[in-house]
């Protein structure tokens, strides 16, 4: 399998809507462990398949229940079933390196997904796990965190990154 590399804005793959995973095979398992390496190398806390050029519905995150562990969580074909409250979140993205801003997220979410063994899981997340889940989930929809900024701040943000990251 070829090495994966990080896709940086404005790579077109970051704007595509990803497709469901039909079957969890060894290819996916290899890909998620490579993604974990890449995430750690770049000091990330989550990484979605489109960020490594794969338009499929899965992502990984750190396990925020157990921050000291090397463990990471795998979310396949995730859905957000319920969302509650609002929280401000200062975010960055490995695909837009060096840029951060404050956006609004849901405080708590009820999600369902398959884990790497194909087991269907339903869980409620709050805090960082909720925020990172929403950030990575957006990647599957072709949405980047600055899209969530209020209009004026969004224009300023994109003006800056369009200047820095050229195609
Ligand atoms: Zn991101």
């Amino acid at each position: 399998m070829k090495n994966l590399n990080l896709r940086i804005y404005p790579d077109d793959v970051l704007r595509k809507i990803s497709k469901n995973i039909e079957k969890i095979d060894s290819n996916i398992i290899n890909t998620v462990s490579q993604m974990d390496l890449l995430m750690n190398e770049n000091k990330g806390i989550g990484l979605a398949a489109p960020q490594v050029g794969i338009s499929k519905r899965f992502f990984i995150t750190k396990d925020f229940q157990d921050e000291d562990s090397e463990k990471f969580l795998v979310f396949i074909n995730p859905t957000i079933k319920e969302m509650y409250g609002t929280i401000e979140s200062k975010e960055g993205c490995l695909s837009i390196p060096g840029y951060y801003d404050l956006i609004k997220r849901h405080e708590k979410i009820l999600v369902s997904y398959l884990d790497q063994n194909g087991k269907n899981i339903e869980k409620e997340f709050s805090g960082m796990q909720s925020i990172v889940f929403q950030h990575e989930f957006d990647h599957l929809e072709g949405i980047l965190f600055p899209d969530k900024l209020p209009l004026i701040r969004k224009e300023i943000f994109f003006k800056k990154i369009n200047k820095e990251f050229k195609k």
Side-chain angles (χ1 to χ4, degrees):
M1 190 181 166
K2 68 175 168 92
N3 276 335
L4 299 175
N5 37 44
L6 209 49
R7 300 302 185 94
I8 304 296
Y9 178 88
D11 194 313
D12 290 334
V13 74
L14 296 171
R15 289 308 195 180
K16 286 193 182 141
I17 295 181
S18 296
K19 294 207 163 67
N20 265 328
I21 298 280
E22 307 287 340
K23 189 168 157 265
I24 301 166
D25 54 17
S26 59
N27 200 15
I28 301 283
I29 303 301
N30 289 334
T31 303
V32 294
S33 56
Q34 277 201 54
M35 284 167 67
D36 182 46
L37 291 176
L38 210 50
M39 177 172 77
N40 289 323
E41 264 172 36
N42 291 281
K43 303 192 181 354
I45 51 177
L47 188 64
Q51 295 181 277
V52 293
I54 302 170
S55 291
K56 298 247 172 81
R57 302 189 80 83
F58 66 98
F59 58 77
I60 63 170
T61 75
K62 293 257 174 215
D63 184 353
F64 291 92
Q65 307 292 100
D66 187 5
E67 282 181 65
D68 294 330
S69 87
E70 296 292 292
K71 230 171 75 194
F72 62 99
L73 300 174
V74 181
F75 300 94
I76 298 167
N77 297 344
T79 55
I80 300 179
K81 304 178 84 173
E82 309 266 0
M83 37 219 152
Y84 320 90
T86 312
I87 192 169
E88 279 220 305
S89 144
K90 189 179 183 190
E91 295 188 19
C93 180
L94 293 182
S95 296
I96 315 174
Y99 288 83
Y100 303 88
D101 215 327
L102 268 179
I103 58 161
K104 288 203 166 86
R105 294 280 182 198
H106 302 292
E107 191 176 1
K108 219 196 266 183
I109 51 175
L110 175 68
V111 303
S112 76
Y113 58 93
L114 302 175
D115 70 7
Q116 65 269 49
N117 303 312
K119 192 173 159 212
N120 194 23
I121 295 175
E122 195 172 279
K123 251 187 189 160
E124 200 172 76
F125 289 139
S126 57
M128 275 308 277
Q129 193 70 67
S130 167
I131 288 169
V132 176
F133 187 104
Q134 291 172 70
H135 178 114
E136 301 311 329
F137 182 86
D138 278 348
H139 276 299
L140 308 184
E141 298 292 320
I143 296 168
L144 300 170
F145 82 86
D147 295 340
K148 306 251 170 195
L149 288 166
L151 191 59
I152 306 283
R153 282 170 52 207
K154 182 166 138 182
E155 280 174 3
I156 293 167
F157 191 100
F158 277 102
K159 214 172 264 175
K160 278 193 279 187
I161 63 172
N162 285 333
K163 211 163 138 190
E164 167 143 7
F165 306 106
K166 296 240 165 70
K167 268 196 197 188

